[in-house]
Amino acid sequence: MLPEVWAAIDREDWEEARKRLEADPDLLASRAGQMALGYVLAHTGDHAGAREVYGRLRQAHAGDPWEHIAVHQLGMVERLAGEHRAALRLFAQERALIGALPGAERPFKRAVNGYELVVNHLALGEAEQARAALEEALADAHAADDPMTLGCLHRARGELAAHGDDRAGARAAYQEAAAFFREAEDDRAAADAEARAASLDG
């Protein structure tokens, strides 16, 4: 049932995702089910509900290696709620938790965390902080060899360039993002990045 839930989430069919979760009480009660529920709540505007779900998960996993994932999700909720300072505080906490993980796991997890730092700094108009976080995250994503994260980071690089009125730089970054998304087999994200690049032509 869980793959069907995430397939609905990927389509942004939030009602279907929630219906499938609630049809399987055992799944809904599980950590994986609660992760999915929190995601649905966060993306449908129930930020208080999502905070409660992920807060419970963080409490349940306090002190173990999984805690940083719950903290990451809490940061995502604050970003979606427009609470970018609160999001940055949570992502700083997550980064400290990542530092305690085995070395081989850190580059990918830091890259994903770094993407959120970029997005939130950019939302606050803090271009220099966003740029510094982006460079560090790109290095980690290349070390992790993760095309999906690289796609997200190059898309963020495009947004940063566009913020600075660098249309050529933004277009090039969006095109790079599209190539990485294609490598990750995310055609929808690739098409979105290509559309962003095309909007800057001329």
Side-chain angles (χ1 to χ4, degrees):
M1 182 67 79
L2 190 62
E4 289 88 346
V5 171
W6 280 103
I9 287 172
D10 287 343
R11 297 193 304 273
E12 298 184 4
D13 188 345
W14 310 113
E15 186 177 345
E16 175 69 11
R18 187 157 188 174
K19 189 190 310 179
R20 285 184 175 275
L21 275 170
E22 291 173 349
D24 188 339
D26 289 338
L27 174 61
L28 183 59
S30 70
R31 184 175 77 182
Q34 289 291 292
M35 282 286 286
L37 175 63
Y39 199 88
V40 170
L41 293 173
H43 283 83
T44 53
D46 186 356
H47 302 122
R51 288 184 189 104
E52 185 179 338
V53 168
Y54 290 135
R56 281 199 309 268
L57 285 172
R58 181 181 188 179
Q59 193 170 26
H61 291 277
D64 76 30
W66 198 87
E67 182 183 1
H68 85 90
I69 295 173
V71 177
H72 184 94
Q73 296 304 98
L74 284 165
M76 175 201 71
V77 174
E78 297 304 337
R79 169 171 57 77
L80 291 170
E83 299 291 341
H84 300 290
R85 288 281 173 225
L88 285 169
R89 285 194 293 273
L90 284 159
F91 289 120
Q93 291 174 30
E94 186 202 13
R95 204 164 186 86
L97 292 168
I98 289 169
L101 296 175
E105 296 181 22
R106 292 180 207 161
F108 169 72
K109 293 176 182 292
R110 277 199 311 254
V112 175
N113 173 278
Y115 169 74
E116 290 285 357
L117 297 179
V118 175
V119 171
N120 282 286
H121 279 305
L122 197 51
L124 290 165
E126 297 172 349
E128 287 309 309
Q129 291 94 321
R131 188 170 289 107
L134 178 65
E135 292 308 313
E136 192 173 341
L138 279 168
D140 278 325
H142 279 292
D145 193 23
D146 185 74
M148 188 67 197
T149 307
L150 283 163
C152 291
L153 288 166
H154 282 285
R155 183 179 60 203
R157 188 164 65 88
E159 291 165 6
L160 186 57
H163 178 79
D165 293 324
D166 177 6
R167 292 170 64 87
R171 185 165 53 248
Y174 289 139
Q175 288 167 342
E176 280 190 79
F180 280 116
F181 286 135
R182 294 274 182 222
E183 187 181 339
E185 300 182 353
D186 190 330
D187 292 337
R188 188 167 67 169
D192 173 72
E194 287 164 350
R196 293 181 192 219
S199 73
L200 295 166
D201 286 343

